[in-house]
Amino acid sequence: AAVGENRVIQARFAPVLSKAGGALQKLYPVFYFGGGDIVGCGTQYFSYISARDAARALIHLIETPSLSGPVNVCAPTAVTNAEFTQAMGSVMKRPTFLPFPSFAVNLMFGEMGKEMLLGGVNARPKKLMESGFEFCHD
């Protein structure tokens, strides 16, 4: 995509994970107090990217003239909600045994909850990888 002679990139970012902030900062208290549980059936995908890889990907996008249009900025491997929940619980040494059922999500959050918590995105960074970008974190 281009506007005049300028290249246009629509960077589509997955949630950025970092110890210093972002999605992990918001999830930390939930898991700490024992509320980090599998949502719904747990099979919905969760794409993500580390803060370091996100910053490096931005530089790569700017410095790679062959890239244009929509570009997924996410790790090459998405995980399911169940896998992510288990990993967070394990790292934090917190229990994750009480699932948050789909009907409760629908009752509490309505359509927004259905899309945000029960929906999933299994995005892949195809253009980034094809342009030679190498990830530090999977």
Side-chain angles (χ1 to χ4, degrees):
V3 174
E5 295 181 25
N6 297 314
R7 178 171 56 108
V8 176
I9 297 171
Q10 294 95 19
R12 301 189 296 195
F13 283 88
V16 178
L17 303 183
S18 167
K19 290 180 186 174
L24 284 182
Q25 186 178 33
K26 290 178 177 38
L27 289 172
Y28 181 83
V30 174
F31 276 83
Y32 182 80
F33 291 110
D37 300 313
I38 294 170
V39 178
C41 62
T43 59
Q44 64 274 35
Y45 277 92
F46 175 70
S47 294
Y48 62 92
I49 188 164
S50 73
R52 177 171 290 157
D53 280 341
R56 291 179 56 253
L58 270 177
I59 293 167
H60 182 79
L61 292 173
I62 293 166
E63 294 179 345
T64 308
S66 62
L67 285 171
S68 65
V71 178
N72 291 334
V73 182
C74 59
T77 54
V79 295
T80 65
N81 174 266
E83 292 167 334
F84 181 80
T85 300
Q86 193 279 327
M88 272 292 279
S90 177
V91 167
M92 294 185 64
K93 297 178 179 35
R94 306 304 295 168
T96 58
F97 56 85
L98 293 174
F100 191 42
S102 299
F103 78 87
V105 171
N106 289 327
L107 283 173
M108 292 177 71
F109 302 106
E111 193 64 32
M112 182 190 72
K114 200 176 201 178
E115 290 178 27
M116 299 294 293
L117 299 173
L118 298 176
V121 176
N122 191 1
R124 300 289 181 200
K126 183 178 178 188
K127 283 185 177 181
L128 266 182
M129 293 174 74
E130 287 176 349
S131 68
F133 183 78
E134 293 184 17
F135 290 86
C136 291
H137 307 103
D138 281 346

